[in-house]
Amino acid sequence: MPLDPSFIGRSYPPSAPYEVSREKIREFADAVGETSPAHRDPEFARAAGHPDVIAPPTFAIVLSMRAQEIVVSDPALGLDYTRVVHGDQTFVHHRPVRAGDRLVVQLHVDSIITRMGNDLLSLRAEITTEDGEAVSTAKSTLVVRGTDQEAAE
Amino acid sequence: MTPSAADVTVGTVLPPLSVRITRADLVRYAGASLDFNPIHWNDRSAVAVGLPGVIAHGMLTMALAGRVVTDWVGDPGAVVEWGVRFGRPVVVPDDDEGAQLDVTAKVTKIHDDGTVKVLVTATFDGRSVLGGAQARVRLPG
């Protein structure tokens, strides 16, 4: 079943704030093997010109994945999550995410296209501080694999 | 040693990186990222959706491959852009060895604003697992 094309261009209200902690940054850095003290030592981070420890480049996925729930779980979209694979992911950092940030995410549905029997859902999460300072833009494409029958059509 | 913009040209090769991914790494990443999809820790779930077995989170593969860039620049805040397409899955066996990811990278462009484009390749089992993987990095003058 194809995705509902009326979702294209839809934007959702900003999420509740996510407060970034030093410990969450350290935990994430450990999990991806990023060893820089910039993720762990506030003094080191300050000496490098950051107000506090900064997050690894893919940390923003924690926020954008949560924000995506609002659209992927909407029954009206018609998305079968068991058929979804992550197609691509890009982060553009306007500045590094850092401890103490209170971040809100606004999710946009950029496009829905069908290619070779699969639906491609392109989402964009604009991550800003509560005050509206741009922090990161996270774009992802989710691929909804078509059934063999649909592919044959 | 942190590279400076003056030392870097198109064709500069970054030090390569080999990373092992075990089931324990997948569990740790699931907890840190809050991505608890069972195909990343449960063989039964992975096989049920047609996979050969448990696979690494694409986002973990992306983060690990990105270390070829962050290790090189020193300051992880210098990575202003990082994007990948997910090609093949990285199948992680239930043993102590895990799966090996081999990562290489080189500078392919120097932008007018001084940032550099780095093209990254990541292979598992001799085959590429990420497509069009590229970072944009701001190097110290």
Side-chain angles (χ1 to χ4, degrees), chain B residues 20-37:
Chain B
R20 286 210 163 271
I21 310 172
T22 65
R23 292 280 175 100
D25 296 322
L26 303 188
V27 173
R28 187 177 294 113
Y29 183 77
S33 68
L34 309 179
D35 181 347
F36 296 107
N37 188 332

Side-chain angles (χ1 to χ4, degrees), chain A residues 21-34:
Chain A
S21 73
R22 288 178 182 166
E23 292 305 335
K24 187 68 191 178
I25 286 177
R26 179 205 303 266
E27 217 174 81
F28 192 90
D30 285 348
V32 299
E34 286 282 3

Side-chain angles (χ1 to χ4, degrees), chain A residues 14-15 17-18 94-95 98 101-106 108 126-137:
Chain A
S15 66
Y18 176 100
H94 312 296
R95 68 148 170 86
R98 60 191 180 227
D101 274 339
R102 286 175 58 85
L103 301 176
V104 297
V105 187
Q106 188 164 20
H108 306 270
E126 295 291 353
I127 303 174
T128 64
T129 65
E130 273 183 312
D131 303 330
E133 180 192 2
V135 177
S136 296
T137 302

